[in-house]
């Protein structure tokens, strides 16, 4: 894929991107837990962005979803650029591994584990450290139990969502 193809976008692609961003924003509102540790459905939007639009436009969509969500709902304290970066890196990783490739369990496992380690445990813990002055190790220890369980549920949900989506022919 050339650089030109990566950045090429048509109006119908932008409309579809807008719908997926809206889906991500809505699904992100369904969470359980505290500010430090919560489980939600927003990952589905990140997976869809990466799978359907690739790493570049998936990351753009992830960033837009965070900005719009922050503006609409003041995401537990408002806007913070670190969480916007996290919202971009998740779909970027999913896009690198899943975009224009057959839905395979090993790809879903790899993508989910990379997002869990890099974004959820690494980046988001760092942002909590910066925002709330929490000791990084303490924040990490608090987040590890959730991040040891949630990815396996995410993998199962991702598999079924992508299998269903792969059967639907959306022309891009």
């Amino acid at each position: 894929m050339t650089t030109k193809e990566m950045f090429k976008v048509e109006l119908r692609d932008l409309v579809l991107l807008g719908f997926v961003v809206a889906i991500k924003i809505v699904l992100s509102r369904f969470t359980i837990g505290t500010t430090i540790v919560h489980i939600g459905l927003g990952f589905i939007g990140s997976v869809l962005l990466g799978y359907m639009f690739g790493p570049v436009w998936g990351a753009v969509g992830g960033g837009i979803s965070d900005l719009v969500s922050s503006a609409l709902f003041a995401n537990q304290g408002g806007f913070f650029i670190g969480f916007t970066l996290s919202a971009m890196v998740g779909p970027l990783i999913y896009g690198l591994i899943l975009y224009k490739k057959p839905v395979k369990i090993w790809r879903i496992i790899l993508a989910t584990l990379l997002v869990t380690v890099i974004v959820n445990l690494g980046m988001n813990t760092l942002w909590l450290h910066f925002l709330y002055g929490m000791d990084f190790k303490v924040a990490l220890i608090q987040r590890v139990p959730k991040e040891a369980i949630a990815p396996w549920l995410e993998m199962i949900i991702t598999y079924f969502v992508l299998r269903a989506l792969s059967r639907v022919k959306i022309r891009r």
Side-chain angles (χ1 to χ4, degrees), residues 70-83:
S70 293
L72 290 176
F73 306 112
N75 285 348
Q76 300 170 356
F79 172 76
F80 178 67
I81 191 69
F83 289 120

Side-chain angles (χ1 to χ4, degrees), residues 86 112 114-126 140 143 146-147 151 154:
S86 293
T112 304
L114 285 173
V115 169
T116 298
V117 172
I118 294 169
V119 178
N120 299 349
L121 283 173
M123 294 173 73
N124 289 346
T125 305
L126 184 64
L140 186 63
R143 296 171 61 79
K146 178 254 182 184
E147 297 303 338
E154 292 174 8

